[in-house]
């Protein structure tokens, strides 16, 4: 009789654990609001060509540099901010000034296997410190993903895609570097902060 009681008690504990787990999972997934709202899309996956958000904090209205690329692509760099963590974040806009959609060239991702494996990106970009004779590559996370805008494969005619790239910071006395992106013209930029 005690074996039957023990088996029933185990089943009850298992059932209670499953019910509690399901309830907890559903509570964690709940939106807590209007279910008709769609999630916001990230800047890297933006497909709309409508009005773009206002410039980010620290960015100027006028680009500090414009780099011309293939097939009417234009990269406008709007800011290069040094932060206290030892990084430089470059912000800008990738525009298609051409009359037709353009596939993002694979060369923009660079040639590192780990970066290429993570899809199209701007992972091939570098900052060159001529004074310190050093080249800085886009940072990667522990899984090899570049810390830059990713996930876009084409840019429609007239479309502008906000982009960012994060690099290790050069020494604090270095304020001017050359920004390079494969298939684009190089341009000097000023690092602030």
């Amino acid at each position: 009789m005690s074996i039957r009681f023990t088996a029933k008690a185990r089943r009850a504990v298992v059932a209670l654990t499953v019910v509690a787990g399901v309830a907890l999972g559903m509570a964690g997934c709940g939106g807590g609001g209007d279910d008709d709202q769609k999630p916001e899309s990230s800047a890297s996956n933006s497909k709309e060509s409508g009005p773009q958000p206002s410039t980010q904090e620290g960015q100027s209205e006028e680009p500090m540099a414009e780099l011309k690329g293939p097939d009417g692509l234009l990269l406008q760099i709007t800011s290069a901010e040094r932060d206290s963590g030892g990084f430089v974040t470059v912000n800008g806009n990738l525009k298609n000034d051409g009359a037709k959609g353009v596939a993002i060239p694979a060369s923009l991702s660079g040639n590192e296997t780990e970066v290429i494996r993570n899809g199209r990106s701007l992972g091939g970009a570098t900052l060159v410190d001529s004074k310190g004779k050093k080249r800085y590559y886009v940072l990667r996370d522990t899984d090899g993903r570049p810390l830059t805008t990713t996930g876009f494969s084409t840019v429609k005619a007239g479309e502008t895609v906000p982009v960012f790239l994060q690099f290790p910071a050069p020494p604090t006395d270095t304020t001017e570097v050359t920004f390079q992106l494969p298939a684009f013209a190089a341009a000097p930029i000023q690092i602030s902060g």
Side-chain angles (χ1 to χ4, degrees), residues 20 31 34 38 47 63 106 108 123 146 174 193:
D34 187 7
K38 293 184 180 177
K47 301 221 191 287
L108 299 187
T174 300

Side-chain angles (χ1 to χ4, degrees), residues 63 66-67 69-76 92-98 102 104 155-163 184:
E66 289 189 347
L67 293 79
D71 301 320
L73 288 176
L74 178 70
L75 178 63
Q76 298 176 321
N93 296 303
L94 182 62
K95 287 179 65 175
N96 179 357
D97 279 343
V102 175
I104 299 298
V155 181
K156 297 175 189 168
E159 183 178 20
T160 299
V161 178
V163 296
F184 281 73

Side-chain angles (χ1 to χ4, degrees), residues 22-118:
V22 169
L24 197 61
M26 290 178 66
C29 292
D34 187 7
D35 288 338
D36 292 336
Q37 292 180 346
K38 293 184 180 177
E40 295 180 26
S41 62
S42 68
S44 64
N45 291 330
S46 177
K47 301 221 191 287
E48 297 177 6
S49 59
Q52 296 296 320
S54 62
T55 56
Q56 295 179 4
E57 186 176 324
Q59 289 184 333
S60 61
E61 293 282 331
E62 289 295 316
M64 68 168 64
E66 289 189 347
L67 293 79
K68 293 189 181 203
D71 301 320
L73 288 176
L74 178 70
L75 178 63
Q76 298 176 321
I77 297 176
T78 55
S79 71
E81 297 279 331
R82 182 189 310 267
D83 69 17
S84 60
F87 307 112
V88 170
T89 302
V90 176
N91 291 296
N93 296 303
L94 182 62
K95 287 179 65 175
N96 179 357
D97 279 343
K100 59 182 181 175
V102 175
I104 299 298
S107 63
L108 299 187
S109 298
N111 58 7
E112 291 183 41
T113 306
E114 282 188 10
V115 174
I116 293 170
R117 190 176 19 208
N118 288 294

